[in-house]
Amino acid sequence: MAAVAVAGPEPEEPGGSFRRYLARLGALRSQPGAERPDGGRRTELHLLFDQLISESCGPAPAAAPSPQDVCAVLVQACQLVHLDQEHLVSKVCQLIHHLLNRFQVMVDEQNLNFLLSYCISALKQCSSWTHVEILQALAALVYNNGPKCQKYLPDLLGKTGLLVQFSDSAQPDVELRRAAVRSMANLCLSVPGQPYLDELYRSVCFQTFLSVLQSSKTSDVDDITFCMLLQNALKGIQSLLNGGKMKLMQTDQIGSLLAVLKKCMFHGLPGLSIEMPAALYPAPLPQYDKRSPIKQEQSEPATFKQTGNRRKKSKGKQKKGDFGEEGREDLGDAGNELVLGADMLKLHVGDVQNSPCSDPRSRASDVAHVSAGKDHLSSHYTTWKRISSSESEYSDAEGGIQSKVRSYQANVRQGALACFLSAIKSMEKRVLYGYWSAFVPDAPGIGSPQSVSLMTIALKDPSPKTRACALQVLSAILEGSKQFLSVAEDANDHKRAFTPFSVTLASSIRELHRCLLLALVAESSSQTLTQIVKCLANLVSNAPYSRLKPGLLTRVWNQIKPYVCHKDVNVRVSSLTLLGAIVSVQAPLPEVQLLLQQPSSSGLNNSGSATPHRFNSSEQWRKALPSEGEPQDNPAGCTSSEPCWLLRLCVSIIVLPREDSCSDSDANFPSFSSIYEPCPLRLESLQVLALLVKGYFSMAQSYFLELGEVACRCMEEMDPSIQLHGAKLLEELGTGVLQQYKPDSAIAPDQKVPVSLAVTFWTMMLNGPLPGILQNSPHATLQTSACDALSSILPEAFSSLQNDQQILCVTLLLGLNHSENPLVKAAAARALGVYILFSCLRQDVMFVADTANAILNSLHDKSPNVRAKAAWSLGNLTDTLIINMETMGQSFQEEFSDLLLLKMLRSATEASKDRDKVKSNAVRALGNVLHFLQPYHIANPRFREAIEESLQALISTVQSEATMKVRWNACYALGNVFKNPALPLGEAPWTTQAYNALSSVVKSCKNFKVRIKSAMALSIPSKRECYGSTEQFCQIWSALVVALQKSEDTEDFLEFKYSASLRTQICQALLHLLSLAKSTDLPVIWRTITENGDAIKSYLLQYLKSGVEENEAGMHTDLCERERVLKGALEHLSGIEKQLEGKARVRVSGYLGDVLTNHARATELTEA
């Protein structure tokens, strides 16, 4: 018996005890008769296995054994136990299960093959009473080892596979079924970089899991076992969706899965029992989910009951039983009082709905009061929290089995929600939204209960973790829902016999707002509270408020205010995210404009203990504002001199020192020792400020210099993330001013930021940290943002800066254009493209030349992004060449380097063969350079080859299958080429190619904007000789006539809106050709008219009648101008026809005369 002697208590080396067990097993194997051990040896094996199992279940050893030792012990144990010794087989399998799980061992392939073969053989040969333990061992072996088990899959998952049989719904032993489902779920786990299960086996597993979830609990099955069975099936489906990248495509598959997930989402939820159909189907209205009649009354939460005007109720005494159904189960007195708070909020929400004109401040203060009360309660009941579980899953006075059952039921609900989250990622959003009504609350009809939804869980589930899971799923559904929700509309009261889908969807959006706001004040868990606010932010970002009745955002705004000062930093950060969503959604919205104009004190005067510290500290910032006076008492809140509450809050968080009293959860953040608020809070505040400036600049411009100071202070800090968001704020401030000074801006001059103020602002920036960041920062993203900020300077302000500051800006950008980082280089190239358009810089030949060299350098960069930005800047630079040619004349052209011009031509030609993002601007630059060339350039032999290549590049681009933007720019560029009188248009061979390309496009291109641009290019040459031979001229004429007749033919309905502009442009081109036609051109023209005269006449009359119309070129051609062009063509043709004398006379002029006469008659009738 020495082999089983117990070791002494002396300290052991790591894995020592395991090596001892290994030695004992080896000794047993080496003894004679080991193949068929007798009774004594069987006893020894029983004792040894018991010791091993006991050790694996006891306290953790100081050092875990090595995986090799564990595998060796298991293999030797299996070798010693024959399959007919069933008690030992059971113990060996328990040993495999315990050791692998306890020490998290991944079995190597060789040992795995042996152990799996052993388990599969045991399942086939041993009695059924051992099967549960064997399956548990099998589950531990295949965990994360799926790819290594390929050769055993037919035995396990084939048609008659062991796991398929044991997991069948007909299997009477639920424990056995659960163990089989768990093994199957473990097989479905994916291993990164390894092949996944074949489609056949995936399908088998999916159907098995689905049938498990569809099964009902029978009376002989205990609750916990059934919960564990459901959990394993849910984990299996989640593994298939996540690891197997399974795409849910078939409607029946999706419907069946969503039905069982909805059923499991409510499994064991107190006060609720629902029966689900076998499958859900896409439908605009909620689908049948039958509730158990016994629990019907308690399953209807008070939250969902619609009432009339609740204002009177709030004054009365609250009955004790009124809020019992609303609360979370087992919350005790604290829960009941929390629910009372929720009911109070419900009254306020009702009041808001019934009285849209009531003062928002009183509502907000009441909500804040409820919130403050909630905080007080939560601190008062900390002792209750301590005696509950770590997740507050239950607080059962008796403890025991009921508590355990509730915990397992909560785990099932969480598993179903986690699985639903994976399902959402595995299906197309447009498919998902077909099931919107099954999971998102709808407004209940009169006298009918509201259908259960994700919000039922968020409001009623006793487990905060489950509530958070439901909100995560709802957030995932709402993410990217903007297009789906855009059809919602209830701004106008509909009076129809049916309710349109747009109104149903709008009602659902309103109900979501209502339920989420109820959840907000009823929630006690900070983690769940964070999820509620994030979910609200997702809803706000996607809802079409411009199509909904106003008031929704006001409620959200007023109710989130107290939470920006919550004790938990994550709640504060998410609250700011929500406020950022409000100021960025469809900005500017009139409702948000009014909210921003409210006095800072609005809705916060009674906010209780939850809020005062932050607002008191922000007073310092408000008083420090040089432009602000004392706060005025203005009830309307629209013309108050106080700064905007949100702006004031964000600035105070960013620049003021922290107050330790409000930061009990800040230890999670590295900035705990900082004098400022936690970094995530400051970053979110900076982002909200940037969104506020972007969406509501007219309001933010009152604090223009002050916000500039905030940006400066942030850029001076050491934290690069704070610096980065400071630079982004600076860019938004600069862009806001730029937008005001755009030519098409509708803002009155006296409402714009004065140029002098912009000069002061940028002087402050250039004397501050901005140049240092651009020169020395090691952070590429920060330098990129600083570059973008510098490019947002107002041109009028730049020209008024001091000379040394102008030189500093230009020098910085030219230097950064040589950066090794592609992000910085791209930003610098783009900024140079902005600066080249400044009137004070574009006339400086040296600056233009330096910029051109820098841009050409970037145009050859290996980064596609750098090349795309450089091509855009090259397009701008060549635009500048044309402007200078037209304004400065010969002097600029002579000063500009011929060598540089040739280099630009060659580089742009090369870039026109690059990817589309580069190509679209490269062809624009080519057109400008070819327009700019002078006769002496064209005569220069060095230019000749480059010109030919560039023209061929343009022609091939027009004919290519590139994106429409590229072809549009190529047509525009050819039009520019035709404007240069120095080019041999009409004589050179490329002329025919260019006209043929444009003629083909004008007839057949799918994109009407490209057709318009090609018709415009064809009407640019000013002399008949430029069109070449009679044959060429007539081909162009015929192509335009065909294009006119096809101007309404399109496969894409979106193109149809451009058809009128296309006809206008073609008519102009036809009249232009007629005004230049020679006598030799007339026969073909007359033949076209005789064949298609009526159609052409109707289009010409429509063209003349259409009056003032802005065509694609942006020119305005009035009625008289159109008539004048027609009369000019008529006179020209009459003169030519008279010269023909007795020769075959054609009457094109007579045809045009008829058109003019018909038009005159129609005009007279209209005027009469």
Side-chain angles (χ1 to χ4, degrees), residues 953-1121:
L954 281 181
I955 292 163
S956 62
T957 306
V958 169
Q959 295 172 315
S960 70
E961 291 299 315
T963 58
M964 296 311 159
K965 184 179 179 182
V966 173
R967 297 179 74 187
W968 187 94
N969 272 342
C971 292
Y972 174 81
L974 274 181
N976 257 343
V977 171
F978 294 166
K979 290 177 184 175
N980 190 343
L983 288 168
L985 193 59
E987 300 169 13
W990 58 261
T991 306
T992 305
Q993 295 171 285
Y995 286 139
N996 287 344
L998 291 169
S999 299
S1000 171
V1001 167
V1002 82
K1003 289 187 293 185
S1004 59
C1005 184
K1006 290 179 182 178
N1007 187 284
F1008 276 22
K1009 290 173 89 172
V1010 176
R1011 286 200 211 181
I1012 290 166
K1013 196 51 73 177
S1014 60
M1016 190 178 295
L1018 287 170
S1019 64
I1020 283 174
S1022 55
K1023 294 177 182 175
R1024 172 61 187 82
E1025 303 83 68
C1026 295
Y1027 285 101
S1029 67
T1030 297
E1031 184 187 0
Q1032 180 69 61
F1033 183 88
C1034 293
Q1035 279 180 357
I1036 296 168
W1037 165 267
S1038 300
L1040 287 167
V1041 169
V1042 171
L1044 188 61
Q1045 292 172 308
K1046 287 184 171 181
S1047 59
E1048 292 180 10
D1049 299 346
T1050 176
E1051 295 172 9
D1052 187 353
F1053 182 73
L1054 294 174
E1055 293 299 321
F1056 194 74
K1057 62 184 175 182
Y1058 300 113
S1059 61
S1061 296
L1062 175 59
R1063 284 192 294 275
T1064 298
Q1065 195 58 56
I1066 293 173
C1067 287
Q1068 285 176 5
L1070 287 171
L1071 291 175
H1072 176 71
L1073 289 179
L1074 288 174
S1075 67
L1076 298 177
K1078 295 192 301 189
S1079 57
T1080 52
D1081 305 324
L1082 294 185
V1084 174
I1085 293 173
W1086 179 245
R1087 188 166 63 248
T1088 317
I1089 287 172
T1090 53
E1091 291 170 2
N1092 308 291
D1094 291 342
I1096 297 170
K1097 185 185 286 188
S1098 67
Y1099 286 127
L1100 285 172
L1101 285 170
Q1102 190 181 347
Y1103 164 72
L1104 291 169
K1105 181 186 172 186
S1106 58
V1108 181
E1109 183 179 337
E1110 186 176 352
N1111 65 17
E1112 182 63 12
M1115 304 185 316
H1116 294 274
T1117 313
D1118 62 24
L1119 193 58
C1120 296
E1121 173 65 17

Side-chain angles (χ1 to χ4, degrees), residues 605-918:
N605 44 356
N606 294 319
S607 53
S609 62
T611 61
H613 66 275
R614 177 48 42 194
F615 298 101
N616 289 342
S617 62
S618 64
E619 286 291 324
Q620 301 165 25
W621 177 76
R622 187 184 60 73
K623 287 174 183 173
L625 277 179
S627 58
E628 298 298 319
E630 290 301 310
Q632 299 171 4
D633 186 15
N634 188 340
C638 294
T639 57
S640 168
S641 63
E642 291 189 42
C644 156
W645 168 79
L646 181 57
L647 188 143
R648 177 180 149 199
L649 168 78
C650 291
V651 173
S652 64
I653 289 171
I654 295 161
V655 303
L656 293 181
R658 66 190 280 133
E659 295 189 14
D660 290 330
S661 60
C662 67
S663 310
D664 63 347
S665 63
D666 296 353
N668 300 327
F669 300 103
S671 61
F672 183 65
S673 58
S674 164
I675 60 163
Y676 293 113
E677 291 285 5
C679 188
L681 201 58
R682 298 180 73 210
L683 290 174
E684 200 60 47
S685 297
L686 275 166
Q687 289 185 66
V688 173
L689 266 189
L691 291 169
L692 184 60
V693 170
K694 183 178 183 177
Y696 298 89
F697 186 75
S698 57
M699 189 281 304
Q701 74 181 68
S702 308
Y703 319 103
F704 188 58
L705 287 180
E706 291 80 359
L707 290 171
E709 286 177 23
V710 171
C712 261
R713 285 184 62 169
C714 290
M715 289 189 289
E716 284 169 352
E717 292 196 23
M718 298 302 292
D719 186 336
S721 57
I722 297 286
Q723 289 179 301
L724 174 67
H725 284 84
K728 287 186 181 294
L729 174 60
L730 171 57
E731 184 188 353
E732 290 298 348
L733 288 165
T735 304
V737 182
L738 276 176
Q739 296 291 337
Q740 288 190 336
Y741 280 84
K742 275 191 169 179
D744 56 352
S745 171
I747 299 170
D750 60 334
Q751 298 295 312
K752 296 178 182 178
V753 171
V755 173
S756 58
L757 190 64
V759 172
T760 306
F761 176 89
W762 283 105
T763 301
M764 174 172 69
M765 294 302 142
L766 293 169
N767 289 333
L770 186 62
I773 287 173
L774 287 165
Q775 286 174 305
N776 306 317
S777 175
H779 304 284
T781 315
L782 176 57
Q783 275 191 313
T784 302
S785 273
C787 240
D788 292 339
L790 195 61
S791 69
S792 68
I793 188 168
L794 184 70
E796 292 87 336
F798 183 87
S799 58
S800 300
L801 288 173
Q802 292 178 7
N803 197 41
D804 58 337
Q805 288 180 325
Q806 290 185 6
I807 293 169
L808 173 65
C809 292
V810 170
T811 307
L812 285 169
L813 293 178
L814 287 170
L816 287 170
N817 199 72
H818 296 285
S819 169
E820 291 179 4
N821 186 284
L823 286 174
V824 179
K825 193 168 184 176
R830 181 193 164 275
L832 285 171
V834 172
Y835 274 48
I836 198 68
L837 297 174
F838 290 1
S839 55
C840 62
L841 291 176
R842 71 171 179 237
Q843 295 175 3
D844 182 341
V845 177
M846 290 307 296
F847 171 73
V848 174
D850 288 343
T851 302
N853 280 312
I855 289 170
L856 292 176
N857 168 269
S858 295
L859 199 59
H860 295 102
D861 195 85
K862 62 182 179 182
S863 161
N865 187 41
V866 173
R867 296 200 303 275
K869 300 290 185 191
W872 179 81
S873 294
L874 184 63
N876 284 5
L877 188 142
T878 54
D879 285 344
T880 294
L881 295 184
I882 302 301
I883 295 167
N884 286 346
M885 180 177 77
E886 292 167 355
T887 55
M888 298 171 67
Q890 201 73 21
S891 60
F892 181 84
Q893 290 166 308
E894 288 172 357
E895 285 184 56
F896 197 77
S897 162
D898 292 354
L899 197 60
L900 183 55
L901 198 61
L902 182 60
K903 194 177 172 186
M904 286 166 66
L905 194 60
R906 284 177 175 157
S907 294
T909 304
E910 194 61 35
S912 71
K913 298 166 189 168
D914 205 328
R915 56 183 65 192
D916 283 355
K917 281 190 176 180
V918 180

Side-chain angles (χ1 to χ4, degrees), residues 99-176:
L99 288 182
L100 294 184
N101 283 330
R102 174 63 186 273
F103 299 115
Q104 297 294 298
V105 172
M106 290 291 292
V107 184
D108 61 275
E109 195 160 355
Q110 185 182 346
N111 289 323
L112 181 70
N113 285 335
F114 174 79
L115 293 169
L116 272 179
S117 298
Y118 184 85
C119 289
I120 290 169
S121 300
L123 281 172
K124 290 176 179 176
Q125 295 179 37
C126 295
S127 305
S128 58
W129 70 267
T130 63
H131 287 174
V132 172
E133 281 82 7
I134 299 170
L135 284 171
Q136 284 178 342
L138 186 72
L141 284 167
V142 300
Y143 184 82
N144 268 343
N145 269 325
K148 298 176 190 170
C149 305
Q150 294 295 325
K151 65 180 178 183
Y152 301 102
L153 292 180
D155 281 337
L156 296 171
L157 299 176
K159 278 191 176 180
T160 56
L162 294 166
L163 295 182
V164 175
Q165 289 178 37
F166 292 139
S167 61
D168 190 77
S169 55
Q171 173 59 245
D173 186 345
V174 179
E175 274 293 349
L176 184 60

Side-chain angles (χ1 to χ4, degrees), residues 137-256:
L138 186 72
L141 284 167
V142 300
Y143 184 82
N144 268 343
N145 269 325
K148 298 176 190 170
C149 305
Q150 294 295 325
K151 65 180 178 183
Y152 301 102
L153 292 180
D155 281 337
L156 296 171
L157 299 176
K159 278 191 176 180
T160 56
L162 294 166
L163 295 182
V164 175
Q165 289 178 37
F166 292 139
S167 61
D168 190 77
S169 55
Q171 173 59 245
D173 186 345
V174 179
E175 274 293 349
L176 184 60
R177 190 180 182 199
R178 184 185 73 77
V181 170
R182 185 181 174 196
S183 296
M184 198 180 280
N186 284 0
L187 265 175
C188 292
L189 285 168
S190 69
V191 179
Q194 296 291 322
Y196 197 63
L197 284 177
D198 289 342
E199 181 59 40
L200 172 68
Y201 297 128
R202 269 186 269 183
S203 178
V204 168
C205 293
F206 183 79
Q207 287 306 322
T208 302
F209 298 142
L210 207 56
S211 64
V212 167
L213 296 173
Q214 286 168 338
S215 61
S216 300
K217 187 177 91 67
T218 53
S219 55
D220 59 330
V221 179
D222 70 280
D223 287 320
I224 290 178
T225 303
F226 189 66
C227 284
M228 291 169 76
L229 175 65
L230 294 178
Q231 264 185 280
N232 288 329
L234 288 165
K235 282 178 181 171
I237 288 184
Q238 194 176 358
S239 294
L240 285 172
L241 293 171
N242 291 351
K245 301 286 185 288
M246 182 177 174
K247 290 295 173 192
L248 296 168
M249 307 290 284
Q250 299 164 6
T251 305
D252 56 341
Q253 188 185 51
I254 294 170
S256 301

